[in-house]
């Protein structure tokens, strides 16, 4: 199979790494990719938001499967353009991607499908915002209705801060606060059948102890030893399948990756949000545990053949990923800093620990020097017989990496490992 992956982050590096290990994949391309992805796939320059350019590249390469990684191209309709070119694509249509592109749309779908979620108000005026904030009280949960790269949500006890965030958005969803631990559960679907993956937990706050500003995610782990063994089955029955069925009944079938962000509350499971693609950094740990070759699974979703797929096979190992972020992240990140230690990790820690690149590039024409090129720079991922061993291996590899001014959390999966 000749495969083209669209995107340039650690999620896409994780996908490309898994695909490169799949014997069925005979050619692997990524556009635009990054310095790490270049080691396992052939890179191509393309505007990932330009559906015509992406589909033209796919045709030129003779791609038999296109995987659209990030949310912005999906919401822009890139998957539609590739489908129109007659090429199977893993990723929802522009209309179906509104499950992530609009929080208000997602709430409407959940209401129609009977999916448990937080009570909410959609607000467009300061008066509506004030009324909604008053109705729910603190802690206030204010979500930008549109895409915001994982940074559009504010959870705060400060009324002024909540109102200020709302004022910076054209339309906001204000909802009740959901208590309890959060879980990320991915499901692969062809619009009819739904195949859930293994659950993971990510860490949104920048600093240890869940302090500091919200980020796109500073680390993740899987499995969740504290979670109910029936959690995946329950979420499939009450959240994932009803949502996919409702989307199909609306005439906008959702095929691709449906990501449910969940809160395990005292009143049961509640959906915090839907995403229309693999999550970052949870993908890094989920794919680290998947034993079934990836390409055939994604191709089955793209061609409507998921019902014929054998049950997925999973490793019993645990996986932990630790994000190394640049100076000042999640503010305006400093870029262009050289990264050292990558070869040492490859030589000393493989295959149990490895580095997935997010915001990296080569230093001009110098292919021996990799420099930072974004906020989240690297995802150091490791596996072990349990979370304790996976954590030890991940942090040992992190210590080998040199990046001036970089930051990372030291407590990823620490509590889960201690309690296991």
């Amino acid at each position: 199979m000749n495969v083209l992956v669209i995107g340039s982050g650690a999620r896409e590096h994780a996908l490309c790494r898994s695909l490169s290990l799949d014997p069925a994949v005979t050619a692997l391309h990524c556009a635009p990719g990054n310095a790490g992805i270049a080691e396992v796939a052939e890179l191509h320059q393309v505007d990932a938001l330009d559906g015509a350019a992406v589909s033209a590249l796919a045709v030129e390469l003779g791609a038999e499967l296109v995987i659209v990684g990030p949310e912005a191209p999906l919401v822009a309709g890139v998957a539609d353009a590739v489908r129109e070119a007659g090429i199977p694509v893993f990723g929802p249509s522009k209309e179906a991607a509104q499950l992530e592109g609009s929080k208000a749309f997602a709430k409407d779908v959940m209401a129609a499908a009977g999916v448990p979620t937080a009570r909410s108000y959609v607000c467009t005026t300061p008066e509506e915002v004030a009324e909604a904030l008053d109705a729910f009280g603190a802690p206030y949960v204010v979500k930008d209705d549109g895409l915001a790269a994982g940074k559009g949500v504010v959870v705060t006890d400060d009324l002024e801060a909540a109102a200020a965030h709302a004022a910076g958005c054209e339309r906001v969803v204000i909802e009740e606060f959901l208590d309890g631990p959060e879980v990320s559960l991915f499901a692969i679907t062809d619009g009819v059948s739904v195949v859930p993956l293994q659950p993971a937990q990510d860490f949104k706050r920048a600093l240890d102890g869940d302090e500091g500003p919200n980020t796109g995610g500073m680390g993740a782990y899987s499995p969740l030893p504290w979670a109910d063994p029936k959690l995946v089955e329950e979420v499939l029955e009450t959240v994932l399948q009803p949502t996919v069925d409702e989307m199909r009944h609306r005439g906008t079938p959702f095929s691709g990756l449906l990501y449910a962000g969940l809160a395990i509350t005292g009143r049961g499971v509640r959906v915090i949000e839907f995403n229309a693609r693999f999550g970052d950094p949870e993908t890094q740990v989920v794919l680290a545990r998947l034993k079934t070759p990836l390409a055939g699974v994604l191709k089955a979703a793209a061609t409507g053949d998921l019902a014929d797929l054998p049950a997925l096979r999973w490793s019993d190992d645990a996986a932990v990923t630790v994000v190394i972020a640049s100076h000042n992240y999640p503010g305006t990140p400093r870029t262009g800093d050289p990264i050292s230690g990558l070869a040492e990790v490859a030589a000393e820690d493989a295959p149990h620990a490895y580095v997935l690149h997010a915001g990296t590039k080569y230093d001009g024409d110098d292919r021996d020097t990799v420099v930072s090129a974004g906020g989240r720079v690297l995802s150091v991922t490791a596996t072990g017989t349990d979370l304790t061993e996976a954590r030890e291996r991940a942090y040992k590899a992190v210590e080998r990496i040199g990046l001036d001014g970089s930051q990372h959390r030291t407590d990823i999966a620490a509590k889960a490992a201690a309690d296991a």
Side-chain angles (χ1 to χ4, degrees):
M1 199 188 308
N2 184 340
V3 182
L4 169 62
V5 177
I6 302 300
S8 61
R11 162 186 47 226
E12 287 74 37
H13 193 177
L15 287 164
C16 285
R17 178 183 182 274
S18 290
L19 291 164
S20 73
L21 299 172
D22 185 338
V25 176
T26 50
L28 182 57
H29 304 272
C30 186
N34 61 40
I37 295 173
E39 296 176 9
V40 294
E42 184 180 342
L43 302 192
H44 305 270
Q45 281 305 311
V46 77
D47 178 355
L49 297 175
D50 184 337
V54 170
S55 59
L57 175 63
V59 170
E60 180 190 332
L61 295 174
E64 295 158 282
L65 174 65
V66 174
I67 301 162
V68 183
E71 60 272 26
L74 292 168
V75 172
V78 167
D80 302 89
V82 176
R83 278 194 190 92
E84 284 166 17
I87 299 171
V89 58
F90 183 80
S93 66
K94 178 178 182 174
E95 282 189 278
Q98 285 303 301
L99 264 184
E100 176 167 6
S102 168
K103 307 287 189 301
F105 176 83
K107 287 288 187 184
D108 187 55
V109 170
M110 283 188 265
V115 169
T117 186
R119 294 177 299 124
S120 63
Y121 295 104
V122 179
C123 307
T124 55
T125 68
E127 292 76 21
E128 288 174 346
V129 167
E131 202 173 310
L133 292 173
D134 182 58
F136 287 131
Y140 304 104
V141 181
V142 185
K143 298 181 175 182
D144 190 333
D145 182 51
L147 292 181
K151 299 188 204 109
V153 180
V154 163
V155 181
T156 178
D157 289 320
D158 185 333
L159 180 59
E160 285 186 14
H165 182 65
C169 310
E170 280 187 38
R171 187 159 83 146
V172 293
V173 174
I174 294 173
E175 61 184 41
E176 66 175 327
F177 176 76
L178 295 175
D179 64 328
E182 294 184 14
V183 173
S184 301
L185 185 61
F186 303 161
I188 290 170
T189 177
D190 57 8
V192 179
S193 299
V194 181
V195 177
L197 305 186
Q198 289 290 302
Q201 186 174 59
D202 78 330
F203 295 75
K204 290 287 186 209
R205 298 286 184 173
L207 307 176
D208 284 5
D210 291 329
E211 299 288 334
N214 227 24
T215 73
M218 294 298 290
Y221 70 93
S222 176
L224 311 181
W226 49 266
D228 186 328
K230 294 180 180 173
L231 175 67
V232 173
E233 189 181 322
E234 179 191 341
V235 175
L236 175 63
E237 290 176 5
T238 63
V239 173
L240 299 169
Q241 191 70 57
T243 300
V244 169
D245 292 345
E246 172 63 22
M247 292 295 285
R248 188 175 67 256
H249 295 153
R250 288 174 176 232
T252 53
F254 186 104
S255 76
L257 196 290
L258 180 59
Y259 164 142
L262 309 165
I264 313 300
T265 76
R267 294 171 293 136
V269 174
R270 298 287 185 272
V271 175
I272 300 169
E273 64 175 355
F274 283 130
N275 289 334
R277 39 73 197 180
F278 279 103
D280 183 343
E282 299 98 320
T283 301
Q284 289 86 303
V285 291
V286 172
L287 291 186
R289 299 185 58 227
L290 179 65
K291 292 175 76 171
T292 302
L294 184 63
V297 180
L298 303 189
K299 180 78 175 283
T303 54
D305 299 324
L306 213 49
D308 302 327
L309 197 73
L312 298 181
R313 293 180 296 111
W314 294 93
S315 166
D316 291 331
D317 282 356
V320 171
T321 195
V322 180
V323 171
I324 298 178
S326 57
H327 177 72
N328 200 43
Y329 179 78
T332 303
R334 192 174 79 201
T335 59
D337 289 313
I339 302 166
S340 64
L342 298 172
E344 286 78 1
V345 174
E348 302 291 335
D349 301 311
H352 300 299
Y354 48 89
V355 179
L356 298 169
H357 292 231
T360 69
K361 65 177 183 179
Y362 290 117
D363 189 9
D365 294 330
D366 180 4
R367 292 286 156 139
D368 294 324
T369 305
V370 176
V371 299
S372 60
R376 290 186 295 173
V377 182
L378 304 168
S379 284
V380 180
T381 304
T383 56
T385 53
D386 56 21
L387 286 174
T388 298
E389 186 174 46
R391 283 192 84 245
E392 288 169 356
R393 287 172 170 171
Y395 280 107
K396 185 178 177 184
V398 166
E399 292 307 312
R400 299 189 199 276
I401 303 293
L403 174 60
D404 188 44
S406 68
Q407 53 177 316
H408 65 270
R409 283 184 57 160
T410 66
D411 63 347
I412 303 301
K415 186 176 187 305
D419 293 347

